[in-house]
mmCIF file of all heavy atoms in Angstrom:
data_model
loop_
_atom_site.group_PDB
_atom_site.id
_atom_site.type_symbol
_atom_site.label_atom_id
_atom_site.label_comp_id
_atom_site.label_asym_id
_atom_site.label_seq_id
_atom_site.Cartn_x
_atom_site.Cartn_y
_atom_site.Cartn_z
ATOM 1 N N VAL X 86 -3.512 5.550 0.066
ATOM 2 C CA VAL X 86 -3.861 5.936 -1.298
ATOM 3 C C VAL X 86 -4.216 4.738 -2.170
ATOM 4 O O VAL X 86 -5.352 4.611 -2.622
ATOM 5 C CB VAL X 86 -2.724 6.753 -1.956
ATOM 6 C CG1 VAL X 86 -3.049 7.085 -3.390
ATOM 7 C CG2 VAL X 86 -2.470 8.019 -1.163
ATOM 8 N N SER X 87 -3.261 3.860 -2.432
ATOM 9 C CA SER X 87 -3.479 2.805 -3.410
ATOM 10 C C SER X 87 -2.317 1.816 -3.375
ATOM 11 O O SER X 87 -1.248 2.122 -2.855
ATOM 12 C CB SER X 87 -3.571 3.418 -4.808
ATOM 13 O OG SER X 87 -3.629 2.437 -5.810
ATOM 14 N N ASN X 88 -2.537 0.674 -3.959
ATOM 15 C CA ASN X 88 -1.435 -0.265 -4.175
ATOM 16 C C ASN X 88 -0.638 0.093 -5.422
ATOM 17 O O ASN X 88 0.406 -0.485 -5.680
ATOM 18 C CB ASN X 88 -1.968 -1.694 -4.304
ATOM 19 C CG ASN X 88 -2.419 -2.238 -2.971
ATOM 20 O OD1 ASN X 88 -1.795 -1.994 -1.947
ATOM 21 N ND2 ASN X 88 -3.523 -2.962 -2.970
ATOM 22 N N ASP X 89 -1.144 1.031 -6.180
ATOM 23 C CA ASP X 89 -0.522 1.462 -7.432
ATOM 24 C C ASP X 89 0.363 2.683 -7.184
ATOM 25 O O ASP X 89 -0.129 3.762 -6.825
ATOM 26 C CB ASP X 89 -1.610 1.791 -8.448
ATOM 27 C CG ASP X 89 -1.080 2.119 -9.823
ATOM 28 O OD1 ASP X 89 0.083 2.558 -9.950
ATOM 29 O OD2 ASP X 89 -1.852 1.955 -10.791
ATOM 30 N N LYS X 90 1.662 2.508 -7.386
ATOM 31 C CA LYS X 90 2.619 3.598 -7.147
ATOM 32 C C LYS X 90 2.316 4.820 -8.006
ATOM 33 O O LYS X 90 2.461 5.962 -7.560
ATOM 34 C CB LYS X 90 4.038 3.101 -7.428
ATOM 35 C CG LYS X 90 5.114 4.119 -7.194
ATOM 36 C CD LYS X 90 6.482 3.527 -7.484
ATOM 37 C CE LYS X 90 7.585 4.540 -7.264
ATOM 38 N NZ LYS X 90 8.914 3.938 -7.496
ATOM 39 N N THR X 91 1.879 4.610 -9.239
ATOM 40 C CA THR X 91 1.599 5.725 -10.150
ATOM 41 C C THR X 91 0.489 6.611 -9.612
ATOM 42 O O THR X 91 0.564 7.837 -9.712
ATOM 43 C CB THR X 91 1.219 5.183 -11.546
ATOM 44 O OG1 THR X 91 2.292 4.369 -12.012
ATOM 45 C CG2 THR X 91 0.972 6.308 -12.522
ATOM 46 N N ILE X 92 -0.519 6.015 -9.027
ATOM 47 C CA ILE X 92 -1.619 6.801 -8.448
ATOM 48 C C ILE X 92 -1.102 7.655 -7.296
ATOM 49 O O ILE X 92 -1.422 8.839 -7.194
ATOM 50 C CB ILE X 92 -2.771 5.880 -7.997
ATOM 51 C CG1 ILE X 92 -3.427 5.250 -9.230
ATOM 52 C CG2 ILE X 92 -3.789 6.644 -7.165
ATOM 53 C CD1 ILE X 92 -4.443 4.178 -8.914
ATOM 54 N N ALA X 93 -0.294 7.067 -6.426
ATOM 55 C CA ALA X 93 0.260 7.814 -5.289
ATOM 56 C C ALA X 93 1.152 8.955 -5.770
ATOM 57 O O ALA X 93 1.068 10.081 -5.263
ATOM 58 C CB ALA X 93 1.043 6.880 -4.375
ATOM 59 N N LEU X 94 1.979 8.690 -6.755
ATOM 60 C CA LEU X 94 2.875 9.715 -7.293
ATOM 61 C C LEU X 94 2.085 10.852 -7.922
ATOM 62 O O LEU X 94 2.380 12.030 -7.698
ATOM 63 C CB LEU X 94 3.829 9.097 -8.304
ATOM 64 C CG LEU X 94 4.813 10.044 -8.983
ATOM 65 C CD1 LEU X 94 5.702 10.740 -7.972
ATOM 66 C CD2 LEU X 94 5.656 9.283 -9.986
ATOM 67 N N ASN X 95 1.052 10.523 -8.691
ATOM 68 C CA ASN X 95 0.233 11.566 -9.315
ATOM 69 C C ASN X 95 -0.502 12.405 -8.280
ATOM 70 O O ASN X 95 -0.608 13.628 -8.422
ATOM 71 C CB ASN X 95 -0.759 10.951 -10.303
ATOM 72 C CG ASN X 95 -0.079 10.458 -11.558
ATOM 73 O OD1 ASN X 95 1.016 10.889 -11.910
ATOM 74 N ND2 ASN X 95 -0.718 9.514 -12.235
ATOM 75 N N LEU X 96 -0.988 11.774 -7.213
ATOM 76 C CA LEU X 96 -1.663 12.528 -6.153
ATOM 77 C C LEU X 96 -0.673 13.428 -5.427
ATOM 78 O O LEU X 96 -0.974 14.584 -5.127
ATOM 79 C CB LEU X 96 -2.346 11.574 -5.178
ATOM 80 C CG LEU X 96 -3.117 12.229 -4.039
ATOM 81 C CD1 LEU X 96 -4.169 13.215 -4.557
ATOM 82 C CD2 LEU X 96 -3.765 11.172 -3.164
ATOM 83 N N GLU X 97 0.519 12.915 -5.163
ATOM 84 C CA GLU X 97 1.553 13.739 -4.521
ATOM 85 C C GLU X 97 1.858 14.969 -5.381
ATOM 86 O O GLU X 97 1.917 16.094 -4.877
ATOM 87 C CB GLU X 97 2.830 12.935 -4.321
ATOM 88 C CG GLU X 97 3.959 13.764 -3.716
ATOM 89 C CD GLU X 97 5.334 13.208 -4.007
ATOM 90 O OE1 GLU X 97 5.541 12.628 -5.091
ATOM 91 O OE2 GLU X 97 6.214 13.383 -3.163
#
Side-chain angles (χ1 to χ4, degrees):
V86 177
S87 173
N88 287 321
D89 186 335
K90 181 179 180 178
T91 303
I92 292 172
L94 179 59
N95 288 338
L96 181 56
E97 177 203 33

